[in-house]
Amino acid sequence: METYTEKEIRGQFGALRKILSKKQNLTKEVKEIRVEDYDGVIFVGCGSSYYISLIALSFFRELFSNCSEAIPGGEILLSPETHLKEDKKYLVFLISRSGESTETVRAGEFLKKNYDTTLVSLTTEPDSSLVKIGDISIILDDAREKSVVMTQSFTVMVAFFLALFRGWKNIEIFDEEMVDKAEKFYKTTRDKIKSLLSDRDFDHFVFLGQGYAYGLAQEGALKVKEMSIGFSEGFHSLEYRHGPKSIITDKSLIFIFPLFYDEEKRLAEELEDLGGKVLFLGEEWGILDDIDKNYRFLFWIPIFHEFGLQRALYRGLNPDNPKNLTKVVKLD
């Protein structure tokens, strides 16, 4: 029987198409925001939503000059003075799939009470606490999920931020044809991903990326942890040389999301020389250099979703019931 997790991984392309068909309406909800009116732009989330924040931050910084930062919800609550000034005005994106993550909701309430902010809530749930505290709410209900592990909504939220920021600059966004290419790529690589499990008895998983792909690396590592209870790590690609490579063995499987081909290819060769198996997810995997680098996440995210899923099934685990986890982290 197909799990919710499987259905939602497979369904992310359909969800993307629905979001694209509504992109004008989604952008309209925030079209009156003038980024230049703010001293800073902040992205707040927890867990996977924090990694969305990191990716959104990279997309934003490529296009805008405002001071900007991605901050976990708990950090806002415990150490706000490290990041915020009382005499500044902030545009704040609060990100939560459920809209109920306690630390994100409380961070929003704290910011609203203590700072000059406009809160933009991004969630899949229209009746959530996050919607109630937001000055503006963006509800991506086509990406709602039943599974514990965040999959399709992650992809859709990343795509939404890229579309939003490019829309503010009147830059074209990818279309359904690009989503079709990504889905075709996913279908042709599923067996290839599954075969990795019989290649070697891997027990160490590494995800590497630079630029916005660093957020993908963190999320990829998290998916393997959550779904398959695997020892996994995420790093900036070139940082992996500086200490972490010491634990590479022939049971290490390393995923590289290359935005900077030459330097990251050189790193891949170094790590292979140390005995690790490297998946360099560029042209060798059918992800061509002529694909806009900001669209490559459409091809990369389903790879680590599928790998986490297949490793869970291979180990006899139920991806809908991951160890020690619940769909929403709610605190008393």
Side-chain angles (χ1 to χ4, degrees):
M1 182 177 177
E2 192 176 45
T3 63
Y4 289 129
T5 307
E6 290 174 271
K7 290 177 183 177
E8 288 157 6
I9 290 172
R10 314 280 193 260
Q12 62 190 292
F13 304 99
L16 281 166
R17 292 186 187 96
K18 289 178 181 178
I19 295 300
L20 279 173
S21 70
K22 298 177 181 178
K23 67 180 180 181
Q24 295 303 323
N25 293 335
L26 290 169
T27 303
K28 185 177 180 180
E29 293 189 65
V30 290
K31 71 177 184 179
E32 295 180 359
I33 292 176
R34 289 168 47 87
V35 174
E36 59 269 27
D37 291 343
Y38 296 90
D39 298 299
V41 178
I42 298 172
F43 302 88
V44 180
C46 298
S48 292
S49 295
Y50 174 60
Y51 301 143
I52 293 170
S53 296
L54 290 175
I55 297 166
L57 177 67
S58 291
F59 289 157
F60 182 84
R61 284 178 171 173
E62 281 199 5
L63 297 171
F64 299 93
S65 60
N66 304 63
C67 291
S68 51
E69 190 173 3
I71 311 173
E75 178 74 0
I76 292 282
L77 295 171
L78 297 180
S79 187
E81 67 282 352
T82 305
H83 308 277
L84 301 156
K85 304 299 179 186
E86 292 182 357
D87 60 343
K88 302 297 183 183
K89 184 178 182 181
Y90 296 98
L91 176 64
V92 181
F93 288 93
L94 301 169
I95 306 163
S96 170
R97 171 181 64 167
S98 66
E100 299 294 346
S101 298
T102 300
E103 289 157 45
T104 301
V105 173
R106 288 181 182 172
E109 292 170 340
F110 175 83
L111 290 169
K112 195 165 194 172
K113 180 179 179 181
N114 294 284
Y115 293 90
D116 184 4
T117 61
T118 297
L119 301 184
V120 182
S121 298
L122 180 64
T123 182
T124 66
E125 298 296 336
D127 299 319
S128 61
S129 299
L130 206 66
V131 169
K132 293 172 184 174
I133 67 169
D135 299 302
I136 298 170
S137 294
I138 301 164
I139 301 163
L140 304 179
D141 52 356
D142 288 315
R144 294 173 80 177
E145 293 175 328
K146 294 183 178 180
S147 61
V148 173
V149 176
M150 188 176 189
T151 55
Q152 72 173 3
S153 60
F154 182 92
T155 312
V156 167
M157 287 185 178
V158 169
F160 170 79
F161 274 117
L162 182 62
L164 176 65
F165 300 150
R166 287 197 164 196
W168 282 347
K169 287 287 190 179
N170 296 313
I171 301 172
E172 283 296 313
I173 185 62
F174 62 86
D175 55 17
E176 287 196 23
E177 183 179 350
M178 185 62 68
V179 178
D180 292 342
K181 286 182 180 179
E183 184 172 27
K184 182 179 179 180
F185 169 80
Y186 166 70
K187 288 178 178 178
T188 60
T189 56
R190 279 171 57 185
D191 288 342
K192 195 173 181 180
I193 294 166
K194 191 174 182 178
S195 70
L196 293 169
L197 297 168
S198 57
D199 182 22
R200 299 181 209 172
D201 186 19
F202 295 110
D203 60 11
H204 175 218
F205 306 94
V206 181
F207 294 81
L208 303 176
Q210 295 283 149
Y212 82 78
Y214 171 67
L216 297 183
Q218 292 294 328
E219 178 67 3
L222 182 61
K223 293 306 98 168
V224 172
K225 283 188 178 82
E226 290 177 327
M227 284 194 251
S228 73
I229 321 300
F231 169 43
S232 55
E233 309 176 280
F235 286 89
H236 287 98
S237 299
L238 303 190
E239 279 297 295
Y240 206 68
R241 289 187 176 116
H242 300 275
K245 69 178 183 179
S246 62
I247 61 173
I248 291 290
T249 71
D250 62 354
K251 292 188 177 182
S252 299
L253 180 61
I254 304 148
F255 297 76
I256 299 180
F257 307 116
L259 292 177
F260 306 93
Y261 186 92
D262 291 342
E263 283 298 324
E264 289 174 296
K265 185 64 175 176
R266 179 180 173 186
L267 174 68
E269 292 167 356
E270 292 173 20
L271 297 179
E272 285 181 334
D273 288 343
L274 295 175
K277 181 175 180 63
V278 177
L279 302 184
F280 190 78
L281 299 171
E283 192 165 336
E284 296 89 337
W285 269 64
I287 303 172
L288 303 178
D289 287 343
D290 61 357
I291 295 173
D292 186 316
K293 69 175 184 177
N294 286 322
Y295 300 164
R296 293 178 197 170
F297 71 88
L298 295 167
F299 298 79
W300 288 334
I301 293 174
I303 288 177
F304 60 69
H305 284 167
E306 187 69 20
F307 181 77
L309 170 68
Q310 292 298 339
R311 186 168 187 269
L313 297 175
Y314 183 78
R315 299 188 66 217
L317 301 173
N318 180 357
D320 285 349
N321 188 28
K323 183 180 178 182
N324 299 335
L325 299 180
T326 57
K327 184 177 180 181
V328 185
V329 177
K330 296 188 75 170
L331 307 175
D332 295 332

